[in-house]
């Protein structure tokens, strides 16, 4: 596919992004690296809402050039849209009851089928179940896709726990998932790690993003899904526990650091969006994704706090 044709396809895809505005939490850099014992503080910032077709993460005309004007709503960063604020500025990303705060996206369910799209989940790939006496987000993995957060985040600390289920599905027939951030652009733009876009755009299962990889033997790796450039740091393999594992992502001042069970596993910096035919520009915020990629998985105790 030529650059001009691909650029036209990108513009068309952005023009048809699923409707609905996105809430943004805008934070200024405050260098932080350690997880759980942070040097820094959670603070207040301004919640912003932008047009759904120019998210200020990746706009067609400017690709991260902030052409949209923020409208202040005067809310604390930890209380956008009335969300509960916990001690230390933490906000829950899962209410323990349903998938409020997330949108269900599913790609192609089988040969000769089109993407299922948003809020079309006939097989209940995404649900809330009791697991080990506690509510958890259940992702069957049967169809590739992701839960996409309704809010976008810049600098933040995120914590969660995951546990594998028992089922795997083709084509991978293996346990594989991920927690993505800096997600932006049209749904279904990518289908795998690396810089390549799905062909055509929209035929994949995920949004372009950075990924906290969750796969046996590789938990905590830092990968790009789609055209994002960055400078990777050292990779350390931390042991995965049987049962529940704790993960943490710290994004601050242009650097992302991953942790597994309290041990640093990977880092990266200098994130820029590099869509074909578009000017390269810094990537500073985006939505989150919980990935469905062939392996049954549970998530619980998800929470986030902005960093300044």
């Amino acid at each position: 596919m030529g650059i001009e044709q691909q650029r036209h396809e990108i513009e068309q895809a952005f023009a048809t992004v699923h409707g609905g505005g996105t809430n943004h939490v805008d934070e200024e850099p405050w260098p932080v690296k350690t997880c759980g014992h942070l040097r820094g503080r959670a603070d207040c910032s301004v919640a912003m809402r932008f047009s759904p077709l120019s998210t200020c993460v990746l706009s067609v005309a400017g690709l991260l050039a902030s052409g949209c004007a923020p409208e202040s709503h005067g809310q604390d960063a930890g209380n956008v849209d009335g969300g509960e604020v916990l001690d230390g500025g933490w906000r829950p990303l899962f209410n323990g009851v349903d998938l409020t705060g997330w949108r269900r996206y599913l790609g192609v369910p089988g040969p000769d089928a089109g993407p299922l799209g948003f809020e079309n989940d006939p097989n209940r790939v995404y649900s809330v179940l009791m697991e080990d006496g506690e509510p958890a987000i259940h992702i069957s993995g049967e169809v590739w896709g992701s839960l996409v957060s309704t809010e976008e985040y810049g600098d933040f600390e995120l914590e969660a726990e995951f546990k594998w289920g028992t089922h795997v599905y083709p084509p991978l027939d293996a346990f594989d998932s991920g927690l993505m951030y800096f997600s932006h652009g049209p749904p279904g733009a990518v289908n795998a790690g690396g810089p390549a876009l799905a062909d055509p755009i929209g035929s994949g299962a995920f949004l372009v993003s950075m990924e906290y990889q969750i796969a046996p033997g590789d938990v905590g790796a830092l990968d790009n899904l789609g055209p994002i450039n960055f400078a990777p740091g050292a990779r350390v393999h931390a042991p995965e526990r049987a049962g529940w594992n704790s993960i943490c992502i710290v994004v601050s001042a242009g650097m992302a650091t991953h942790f597994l069970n309290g041990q640093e596993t990977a880092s990266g910096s200098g994130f820029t969006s590099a869509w074909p035919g578009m000017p390269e520009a810094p990537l500073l915020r985006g939505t989150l994704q919980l990935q469905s990629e062939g392996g049954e998985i549970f998530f619980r105790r998800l929470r986030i706090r902005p960093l300044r």
Side-chain angles (χ1 to χ4, degrees), residues 150-197:
T150 57
E151 295 184 14
E152 295 185 350
Y153 300 92
D155 286 7
F156 62 84
E157 181 187 11
L158 185 154
E159 293 182 349
E161 295 182 1
F162 79 90
K163 172 186 174 181
W164 294 114
T166 57
H167 296 88
V168 296
Y169 298 90
L172 295 181
D173 290 316
F175 290 106
D176 201 344
S177 184
L179 198 163
M180 287 92 91
Y181 53 98
F182 287 165
S183 308
H184 61 276
V190 291
N191 213 39
L197 291 166

Side-chain angles (χ1 to χ4, degrees), residues 81-272:
D81 287 346
E84 180 185 1
V85 182
L86 307 177
D87 291 343
W90 289 99
R91 291 185 56 207
L93 289 170
F94 171 48
N95 64 15
V97 178
D98 55 29
L99 297 176
T100 296
W102 300 89
R103 299 168 66 204
R104 298 170 296 172
Y105 182 81
L106 290 172
V108 175
D112 303 319
L116 291 173
F118 279 105
E119 305 306 330
N120 182 15
D121 185 9
N123 293 334
R124 290 180 55 81
V125 171
Y126 309 114
S127 62
V128 175
L129 300 176
M130 293 296 292
E131 183 70 13
D132 296 333
E134 190 173 327
I137 294 175
H138 175 248
I139 301 178
S140 73
E142 183 178 0
V143 180
W144 286 21
S146 64
L147 289 175
V148 183
S149 68
T150 57
E151 295 184 14
E152 295 185 350
Y153 300 92
D155 286 7
F156 62 84
E157 181 187 11
L158 185 154
E159 293 182 349
E161 295 182 1
F162 79 90
K163 172 186 174 181
W164 294 114
T166 57
H167 296 88
V168 296
Y169 298 90
L172 295 181
D173 290 316
F175 290 106
D176 201 344
S177 184
L179 198 163
M180 287 92 91
Y181 53 98
F182 287 165
S183 308
H184 61 276
V190 291
N191 213 39
L197 291 166
D199 186 10
I201 293 173
S203 64
F206 319 116
L207 280 73
V208 171
S209 56
M210 293 304 301
E211 179 182 30
Y212 182 112
Q213 171 73 307
I214 303 176
D218 201 28
V219 178
L222 189 152
D223 301 317
N224 60 308
L225 272 66
I228 298 175
N229 294 331
F230 69 101
R235 174 75 171 100
V236 178
H237 290 272
E240 182 182 343
R241 300 170 181 161
W244 293 99
N245 287 264
S246 64
I247 65 178
C248 177
I249 302 169
V250 177
V251 176
S252 180
M255 182 174 184
T257 309
H258 293 180
F259 300 83
L260 171 63
N261 298 322
Q263 181 176 341
E264 182 175 331
T265 58
S267 63
S269 60
F271 301 96
T272 60

